Amino acid sequence: MVRPWPRAGLAVVLAACLLAPSSGVRGQTPAVEDYLTRQLTVAANSYLERRSQALVQKDGRDRAAPTEVLGVRISPSLVRSQERAVRELETRNRAPVEGGPAYTGARTRLDGGRAVRTGDRITLEAVEHTEMRYGTGGRGKVTQSVRRRFEFRASGEQITMVGERVLDPGAHPVNDPLGESR
């Protein structure tokens, strides 16, 4: 003879089923290790810093876009895009207002980076803070903060940055070329 579950026992079993993790339910995408997030943040920051520096008058110094930063490769298409962006930024008005004093210094940093991995893709989201100095002695200052997303592809131990974009709708970062999407 089969005995039915006592009411209290059935309630405990049902509650346990509801609390137990299900293989059919996906959790949040796992964040990557802190050291890897820092490595990706440094590579992405270096990428943006070069564009910010392109807005400052140079003393004849010219350096090629890096193809690797801290072991993170930059995809050839992003390197080409970066070179076009730098050329455009170097030739565009280098002042906060048309005819005004030129930029004399630039500083860019990424804060609050969070990286998550999905298969062979890693996505880093961070806030870019850019400060542009201008005028005599760099007394004037323009600051800007925008959210950016950087896309990376992992193949074994090798990580390659393959894309980046601004997340804030309508934002026009001073260190972005006009109308270019990467």
Side-chain angles (χ1 to χ4, degrees):
M1 175 172 144
V2 176
R3 293 177 25 161
W5 282 84
R7 285 193 189 265
L10 182 59
V12 169
V13 170
L14 288 175
C17 289
L18 292 174
L19 294 176
S22 169
S23 62
V25 177
R26 295 186 102 196
Q28 289 185 333
T29 306
V32 301
E33 298 84 359
D34 288 341
Y35 77 90
L36 182 55
T37 298
R38 283 190 299 276
Q39 181 181 12
L40 300 177
T41 301
V42 168
N45 192 81
S46 176
Y47 185 79
L48 294 174
E49 181 68 22
R50 183 155 189 274
R51 291 204 310 248
S52 297
Q53 291 297 323
L55 289 165
V56 178
Q57 293 288 352
K58 294 192 299 185
D59 299 327
R61 59 180 186 238
D62 188 35
R63 56 175 209 215
T67 57
E68 188 170 316
V69 176
L70 267 183
V72 176
R73 288 187 184 157
I74 311 298
S75 74
S77 64
L78 275 184
V79 169
R80 286 189 301 274
S81 174
Q82 178 79 321
E83 288 300 325
R84 282 190 306 273
V86 166
R87 280 192 304 275
E88 179 186 321
L89 293 167
E90 287 175 338
T91 59
R92 133 172 141 191
N93 180 37
R94 293 183 186 181
V97 295
E98 190 68 41
Y103 291 122
T104 58
R107 187 174 64 197
T108 297
R109 74 179 195 285
L110 289 176
D111 285 338
R114 181 172 187 277
V116 294
R117 181 187 296 259
T118 306
D120 68 343
R121 296 281 185 186
I122 303 172
T123 302
L124 171 70
E125 290 188 8
V127 177
E128 172 198 352
H129 301 283
T130 299
E131 178 182 290
M132 301 297 296
R133 294 276 182 184
Y134 63 91
T136 307
R139 292 180 191 196
K141 163 171 95 165
V142 174
T143 58
Q144 192 174 49
S145 296
V146 294
R147 291 179 310 128
R148 289 196 187 256
R149 175 178 293 149
F150 300 88
E151 300 290 333
F152 299 86
R153 186 179 62 243
S155 178
E157 294 294 313
Q158 182 59 59
I159 298 175
T160 304
M161 185 163 65
V162 296
E164 66 87 15
R165 69 185 181 107
V166 173
L167 295 177
D168 295 328
H172 300 288
V174 66
N175 61 351
D176 270 5
L178 301 174
E180 181 163 324
S181 61
R182 285 164 308 287

